[in-house]
Amino acid sequence: MAAEVPLPEITPLTEPYWSGLEAGELRFQRCGGCRNAWLPAREECPRCLSDDASWEASAGRARLISWVVYHSAVHPSFADRLPYNVAVVELDEGARLITSINASEDELSIEMPLTLSIEQESGVSIPRFSPS
Amino acid sequence: MRGKAVIAGVGHTAFGKLPGRTTDSLNVEASRKAIQDAGIDKDAVDAVFVKYPTSQHRSMYGQTVAEALGLQPRIGGVWDQGGATNISMISFAAMAIEHGQCEIALVTIADNPKTGTRQAYERGWGDDAVHGWFGVAAGYAMIMRRHMEEFGTTHEQFGAIARASRRHGAENPHAQLRLPLTEQMYDESRLVVDPLRRDDICLVSDGGAAVVVMSAERARDLGVPAPVPILGFGQGQTSWEVAQRPVLTSTAAEISAKTAFAMAGMTPKDIDVAQLYDCFTIAVMMTLEDYGFARKGEGGRFAEDGNVELGGGLPINTSGGLLSETGMPGMQLVIEGVRQVRGTSVNQVPDAQTAIVSNQGGIMHTHSTLILGR
Ligand SMILES: [Zn+2]
């Protein structure tokens, strides 16, 4: 049997993130105290330590911070996708996240503008990005 | 505190594949050799600082090692900063000695990921594993890509760092990999996580290493044969995970080095030889810059110009580093710094008076710096 992609462990803390993706939006947390924006989910704002955070939907625009291309599979579930990329992007709203880019490697360069594209991975909606 | 504490003795086990050896036994062997090298009685040791074994975390491991050593230390326990732990524990030992909390400290590390498990280095990063985000190497590759894109740093320049460590390690009879690396071999080295090639990545090794720390005064009283003064130390931490780190191309190694240089009353120009933590070549590249040996973005040119090889302006990793001597996380670099200042390295830098050692852990999260000299 082929290895299965490890799926997120959805907790009360992260549930709004994953249900947001199911509903077609990429949500991030915004601090009610200092307006800081971040991902992944946490209980307190790491800037001002306020516990008054709320979820907002991103407009879906981002820029590419960096990326890697796996040429060997660390996890067997990704063996038949080699080579595949994983990237760090920064949303226009300020939060950064791990994702992957729908593009070949020679199309990529740092700071390039990207647009959100929510896709299915083993039955879970995940955020990916495409060149704008 | 400059020069008040010394490294009185050093010891290490064989490096490589050591089937059947426990980390307890490797810690004891390295400690026995360090105590012998210092020429002291075991029972004079009253502090035991232990790095936890990364591949097999064990609760209260400091007590396990102290028991195996037959010691009842005044201060003892495990410290966890990944690869930065070694130098950090040496600096905590020096500070504890300075303040009368203990007198003679043993600082020891051992692990056996080669015969045991490498899982700790290959796990997925939480929920991000759904994107295929796995392993420590990929985190370093993410930083390496940004450095290449931002500053135009080339594969050949990373290769120059790997070639220096491999050339030096080839001369070291204790090194696990004694195969010099040519430009062509590096070019043909397979991509693991692009931009990281196989030869940018450290070895996986079983082994143990230890040092004995005491005051310079105590070393004189005890007639320690070859004490090496600790001139400076420092630490710094970049706490963000790679994805959240606002700047990828510089780290708190800068703060760590600044603190150590200030304590030593020195600048990068005063350093004769450097042992720089080379778990991946990008770590060396950024340390050269963050420590001030090269300007930010110019580490590549610095390495390419031959500075980092024996005979160059700043020979690095003269016993082979993690790329060639042993993949053990960092204490071997301290030991080689000691050998250089003693004048006993197999790749001795002529008349080396000062050595700097960098340790770092996680994905360039934790940093520690040690300056040795006479
Ligand atoms: Zn806040």
Side-chain angles (χ1 to χ4, degrees):
Chain A
M1 201 180 87
E4 287 173 20
V5 172
L7 296 179
E9 285 180 40
I10 299 173
T11 65
L13 179 65
T14 62
E15 191 279 331
Y17 178 78
W18 297 107
S19 63
L21 289 162
E22 290 299 326
E25 56 186 39
L26 172 57
R27 295 176 185 159
F28 62 92
Q29 282 175 300
R30 171 93 68 193
C31 176
C34 74
R35 309 304 293 157
N36 187 23
W38 68 82
L39 279 171
R42 49 177 89 234
E43 288 90 342
E44 286 84 23
C45 168
R47 184 194 283 164
C48 75
L49 309 187
S50 163
D51 57 4
D52 173 28
S54 54
W55 288 92
E56 285 184 19
S58 167
R61 282 182 298 274
R63 63 194 172 92
L64 182 57
I65 300 301
S66 192
W67 76 94
V68 303
V69 181
Y70 284 75
H71 286 263
S72 77
V74 179
H75 192 276
S77 62
F78 285 84
D80 59 359
R81 307 185 191 196
L82 297 173
Y84 71 92
N85 73 59
V86 177
V88 174
V89 305
E90 182 172 305
L91 300 177
D92 281 4
E93 294 87 356
R96 287 189 177 195
L97 66 149
I98 291 286
T99 181
S100 58
I101 312 297
N102 293 313
S104 67
E105 198 187 353
D106 53 16
E107 295 172 76
L108 301 179
S109 60
I110 57 167
E111 304 298 327
M112 72 186 287
L114 301 165
T115 304
L116 174 68
S117 145
I118 294 173
E119 296 174 15
Q120 292 296 304
E121 172 60 64
S122 311
V124 177
S125 297
I126 63 166
R128 300 190 74 202
F129 287 80
S130 302
S132 295
Chain B
M1 269 207 69
R2 180 189 201 273
K4 282 200 167 175
V6 299
I7 294 185
V10 301
H12 64 78
T13 67
F15 303 130
K17 199 173 174 72
L18 307 173
R21 295 293 303 275
T22 62
T23 55
D24 305 10
S25 162
L26 294 168
N27 272 306
V28 171
E29 182 190 340
S31 297
R32 183 178 71 225
K33 289 175 170 166
I35 290 166
Q36 279 167 356
D37 185 49
I40 61 167
D41 179 26
K42 182 202 82 172
D43 293 324
V45 172
D46 64 353
V48 180
F49 293 83
V50 183
K51 181 185 181 297
Y52 70 100
T54 306
S55 60
Q56 191 197 10
H57 194 93
R58 287 158 67 183
S59 169
M60 295 286 284
Y61 190 60
Q63 290 310 298
T64 304
V65 172
E67 184 189 18
L69 290 164
L71 291 170
Q72 319 294 318
R74 292 166 73 186
I75 293 182
V78 161
W79 194 255
D80 179 0
Q81 293 178 344
T85 305
N86 314 284
I87 288 173
S88 295
M89 292 194 302
I90 290 169
S91 65
F92 290 133
M95 290 188 277
I97 291 165
E98 170 75 3
H99 293 287
Q101 301 298 303
C102 59
E103 294 188 2
I104 300 180
L106 185 65
V107 182
T108 181
I109 155 185
D111 203 356
N112 52 8
K114 188 138 179 101
T115 52
T117 172
R118 299 177 57 183
Q119 256 179 352
Y121 302 98
E122 294 181 343
R123 64 178 190 275
W125 295 100
D127 289 348
D128 288 329
V130 75
H131 297 286
W133 182 231
F134 291 90
V136 170
Y140 282 86
M142 196 68 87
I143 293 171
M144 185 172 173
R145 169 87 62 199
R146 182 78 196 188
H147 199 282
M148 295 173 83
E149 289 271 314
E150 229 174 271
F151 304 119
T153 316
T154 65
H155 273 294
E156 290 67 29
Q157 292 169 335
F158 287 103
I161 288 170
R163 289 205 312 279
S165 287
R166 293 276 292 272
R167 174 189 159 195
H168 301 158
E171 301 297 323
N172 175 2
H174 297 293
Q176 184 175 336
L177 178 60
R178 299 186 66 190
L179 179 67
L181 180 71
T182 64
E183 266 179 81
Q184 192 191 350
M185 282 159 70
Y186 180 82
D187 285 347
E188 290 170 0
S189 172
R190 74 185 167 84
L191 284 165
V192 178
V193 190
D194 189 3
L196 274 176
R197 289 169 191 270
R198 179 65 198 89
D199 287 321
D200 290 305
I201 303 175
C202 70
L203 303 168
V204 176
S205 314
D206 303 333
V211 304
V212 174
V213 181
M214 64 177 75
S215 70
E217 195 184 342
R218 193 69 196 272
R220 264 194 309 275
D221 294 346
L222 290 173
V224 169
V228 169
I230 294 172
L231 303 184
F233 49 73
Q235 298 180 43
Q237 302 192 350
T238 303
S239 297
W240 300 110
E241 289 292 359
V242 168
Q244 277 70 45
R245 201 169 291 181
V247 176
L248 284 181
T249 49
S250 66
T251 68
E254 189 182 343
I255 294 156
S256 177
K258 240 180 211 157
T259 307
F261 278 124
M263 177 174 159
M266 293 163 67
T267 71
K269 286 191 172 50
D270 300 315
I271 299 296
D272 295 327
V273 58
Q275 312 301 329
L276 305 181
Y277 198 97
D278 54 343
C279 49
F280 300 91
T281 51
I282 178 64
V284 174
M285 186 71 75
M286 297 220 339
T287 303
L288 288 169
E289 297 171 352
D290 290 339
Y291 275 31
F293 292 112
R295 278 204 290 267
K296 185 49 70 183
E298 295 180 6
R301 214 165 314 144
F302 183 87
E304 187 176 50
D305 287 349
N307 285 295
V308 295
E309 296 216 12
L310 212 56
L314 184 77
I316 65 162
N317 302 354
T318 45
S319 59
L322 279 72
L323 293 172
S324 180
E325 183 179 30
T326 165
M328 173 193 292
M331 188 69 96
Q332 73 277 30
L333 301 175
V334 174
I335 292 177
E336 176 63 5
V338 166
R339 286 190 291 247
Q340 284 289 347
V341 175
R342 284 177 173 177
T344 60
S345 170
V346 289
N347 287 308
Q348 185 61 42
V349 171
D351 198 34
Q353 303 280 324
T354 57
I356 197 164
V357 188
S358 80
N359 274 186
Q360 59 121 64
I363 300 176
M364 303 196 213
H365 287 85
T366 52
H367 303 272
S368 56
T369 308
L370 185 67
I371 300 175
L372 302 169
R374 53 192 165 95

